[in-house]
Amino acid sequence: MTGADLILAGGRVLTMDAALPYASTVVVRGGEIVHVGEDAGGWRAAETVELRGRVVLPGLNDSHLHGVGYGLHRPPFCLDVALESIAAVRAEVARAVRQARPGQWIRGIGWHPGRLAECVADPGRQPVAADLDEVAPEHPVLLQDFSGHAVWVNSLALELAGVESDGGVLHHADQALVQRAVPHPEGGLSAVARDMVAELNRLGITSFTEPGLGPGGEEAFAGGMGTGALEAYAALARSGELTARVSVLGLPSAMSGASAADTVAWLAAPPDLAGISPRLLRLLGVKVFADGIPPSETAWMREPYPSGGHGALCTHGASTGERVAELAEIVRLVHEAGWQLGVHVVGSRGVDAVAEALAAAQDRHPRKDARHYVIHGQFASEQALARLAALGCGINLQPVLQAMEAGTTRALFGEALVRTEWPARSAVEAGVVTACSSDAPVTRPDWRAGVAALVAREGEGLDLEAALRTYTIAPAWQDHAETWKGSITPGKVADLCVSAATSPHELTEAPVELTLFGGRVVHGG
């Protein structure tokens, strides 16, 4: 018999490997899977975990998660203000002020203009600084909206940031003016990242993508998308404290005004991660913001908003033609430099423009297996999906956002687009590799909620196993890593999630009882 480190026996193993979809035993040695089958196959180990019928999955991969941003938007750093009214938000801020040190910043996340009762009753009513001034006259207040694209602040926050504004809500690039004034918490971003990764491990997550860290993110998510976040991950990796595999997209430009000039500067001197295993932390490509989001009417749509507008690309340029040309040039630069592109684009017209730019770049400079992908792609048409498939591109969707935002889509564009938005089934059927994710802190980083939303949805939903693939092997493809992670296959890293579920259909309700990272227990045991 051959010696191993660990045997997991007597379970329901969903391998995500088409060659052997199901098994009951997994053998681990040296941080890798060495055997999968109905028994141990002649292996022996000093330790055996008796699974007693529990379900085993590959370690989950949240393929679009602002990790440090999420960490900064959890207690004790941040309030939950996903509340039903401005009055309720005011009450929560007042409570925080009573507990805060003199002059301490009060931060929160989660408010949505489409759900605040006062704004629903009067569409002309919007949150303003005065709403917060009364309850926090001596504490600066910054409340991030649910999407990360707007902040609601009080007058003191505007004053400390040196911003002149007669409102209280700042959008896109304007919010950066206040975000940069918020100090980092004690312990720095490394402590935030360490605690956040531990939470992910408790959920069975062993890999995730940080979709945009760099100079364009210094003022986004309280600095959680800046260069300091990448430095925090690097520090944890070098000290042996990083217990998740982190793929990173660089962010040369901010959410609004992405430019070829910024891209050229980033490509000339990308961050150096020398000495760190690329299976632990690696820089895969570049994030580009092509448009905005529907609630602020900034996603570039073919369909009109109630205001009559269509939104626009948010790349640099004074006209539609200039912005389209700038997008195409950014895509060309990144593509020809050999990096992967992850493009935030939501609107129907925006997705078409991105697909056109990707096709032009590939025609001009053919590359094999670049694996560029559309991020969100909420209103991607069947034609756009077919084009992405032909180009070998992927799509990254957020199923919980679909469940959250269906009402907003209905109010803006009608029922027809509710049925076809976030097109998971259409993307899979078109041959587009489809990864799903949380977009935390926009939603919680819990894959179970995403899988449940996919399975429950009519029309554009997926069956359970297809949904699980969007959180395992499909993200591994996105990471250019399907040869060594994403399924329970001999030769791949021993990243495993053991659920309390004894049936696959219980997975979305059951807690995670054990998480292995490279064969090491990082949760449970």
Side-chain angles (χ1 to χ4, degrees):
M1 299 182 74
T2 307
D5 300 325
L6 177 68
I7 295 174
L8 289 81
R12 303 191 67 174
V13 181
L14 305 185
T15 68
M16 300 297 124
D17 182 345
L20 181 66
Y22 311 108
S24 61
T25 303
V26 182
V27 182
V28 175
R29 184 177 69 174
E32 291 189 350
I33 298 163
V34 293
H35 175 77
V36 182
E38 291 306 311
D39 54 39
W43 291 87
R44 58 177 175 78
E47 182 179 2
T48 296
V49 174
E50 296 294 343
L51 294 168
R52 300 183 301 280
R54 290 176 292 174
V55 176
V56 183
L57 296 170
L60 282 300
N61 188 339
D62 193 324
S63 52
H64 184 92
L65 182 156
H66 304 278
V68 174
Y70 172 66
L72 288 166
H73 285 86
R74 299 160 61 234
F77 312 124
C78 199
L79 306 175
D80 179 358
V81 292
L83 302 170
E84 73 283 358
S85 66
I86 290 173
V89 173
R90 282 164 46 91
E92 182 66 9
V93 170
R95 183 194 64 77
V97 166
R98 291 192 294 271
Q99 299 174 358
R101 301 186 305 273
Q104 180 180 344
W105 280 79
I106 306 297
R107 294 181 50 244
I109 189 171
W111 64 273
H112 190 309
R115 299 199 185 100
L116 296 172
E118 297 87 346
C119 301
V120 173
D122 177 6
R125 170 72 158 102
Q126 292 296 310
V128 295
D131 292 322
L132 303 175
D133 291 344
E134 184 177 349
V135 295
E138 298 178 357
H139 291 77
V141 180
L142 183 150
L143 307 178
Q144 184 82 60
D145 78 326
F146 77 103
S147 72
H149 288 253
V151 293
W152 174 14
V153 296
N154 69 348
S155 296
L156 182 56
L158 291 169
E159 179 185 339
L160 292 175
V163 176
E164 293 185 6
S165 173
D166 57 3
V169 176
L170 304 175
H171 294 276
H172 299 294
D174 291 339
Q175 67 172 308
L177 301 173
V178 181
Q179 292 270 23
R180 67 166 63 109
V182 182
H184 286 161
E186 294 180 9
L189 296 184
S190 290
V192 173
R194 185 188 302 110
D195 290 348
M196 175 274 302
V197 170
E199 178 180 339
L200 299 184
N201 292 160
R202 291 191 290 272
L203 292 167
I205 296 171
T206 56
S207 292
F208 64 95
T209 296
E210 268 281 7
L213 299 180
E218 298 297 346
E219 291 86 26
F221 285 136
M225 291 176 66
T227 55
L230 182 56
E231 293 166 0
Y233 287 124
L236 294 179
R238 292 189 173 104
S239 67
E241 298 175 272
L242 187 57
T243 57
R245 306 182 193 282
V246 187
S247 299
V248 178
L249 297 178
L251 187 60
S253 298
M255 289 185 183
S256 182
S259 73
D262 290 341
T263 306
V264 168
W266 188 93
L267 292 171
D272 183 6
L273 297 176
I276 298 174
S277 169
R279 290 193 175 189
L280 189 59
L281 176 66
R282 59 183 180 160
L283 189 63
L284 280 176
V286 173
K287 165 78 169 286
V288 179
F289 284 96
D291 70 354
I293 59 172
S296 60
E297 299 192 2
T298 52
W300 195 25
M301 299 291 294
R302 295 194 178 280
E303 302 78 5
Y305 289 99
S307 66
H310 291 266
L313 290 180
C314 62
T315 47
H316 181 72
S319 68
T320 296
E322 290 177 358
R323 289 188 287 271
V324 169
E326 194 78 0
L327 172 65
E329 179 63 3
I330 293 168
V331 169
R332 183 191 70 80
L333 287 165
V334 177
H335 176 81
E336 292 187 3
W339 294 92
Q340 185 183 47
L341 272 156
V343 185
H344 168 115
V345 63
V346 173
S348 52
R349 195 171 179 186
V351 176
D352 289 345
V354 169
E356 178 68 27
L358 291 168
Q362 180 66 15
D363 286 345
R364 175 171 173 160
H365 184 86
R367 273 180 62 191
K368 290 184 178 179
D369 209 24
R371 303 193 189 185
H372 305 314
Y373 62 101
V374 164
I375 297 169
H376 309 312
Q378 182 174 350
F379 297 106
S381 66
E382 290 185 4
Q383 293 78 11
L385 292 172
R387 195 165 199 186
L388 291 172
L391 291 167
C393 295
I395 193 167
N396 195 289
L397 302 172
Q398 293 71 47
V400 176
L401 272 180
Q402 188 279 324
M404 288 172 53
E405 291 299 289
T408 299
T409 299
R410 186 175 292 108
L412 289 173
F413 304 115
E415 187 64 35
L417 285 194
V418 174
R419 292 193 295 271
T420 59
E421 65 175 346
W422 305 97
R425 179 178 292 277
S426 292
V428 170
E429 291 179 348
V432 181
V433 178
T434 304
C436 290
S437 58
S438 68
D439 200 9
V442 180
T443 72
R444 285 200 65 243
D446 191 336
W447 58 274
R448 295 169 300 182
V451 169
L454 277 171
V455 172
R457 188 178 179 193
E458 296 182 3
E460 286 295 343
L462 299 174
D463 64 40
L464 178 61
E465 288 201 26
L468 290 170
R469 289 179 66 83
T470 71
Y471 286 89
T472 52
I473 194 64
W477 176 92
Q478 179 184 294
D479 289 346
H480 288 262
E482 77 280 10
T483 61
W484 57 268
K485 71 173 185 178
S487 67
I488 302 176
T489 303
K492 293 192 177 184
V493 293
D495 296 352
L496 302 169
C497 166
V498 179
S499 171
T502 55
S503 164
H505 296 285
E506 298 171 355
L507 279 168
T508 59
E509 301 294 335
V512 171
E513 293 191 336
L514 182 69
T515 305
L516 298 182
F517 176 71
R520 177 163 59 99
V521 175
V522 292
H523 163 64

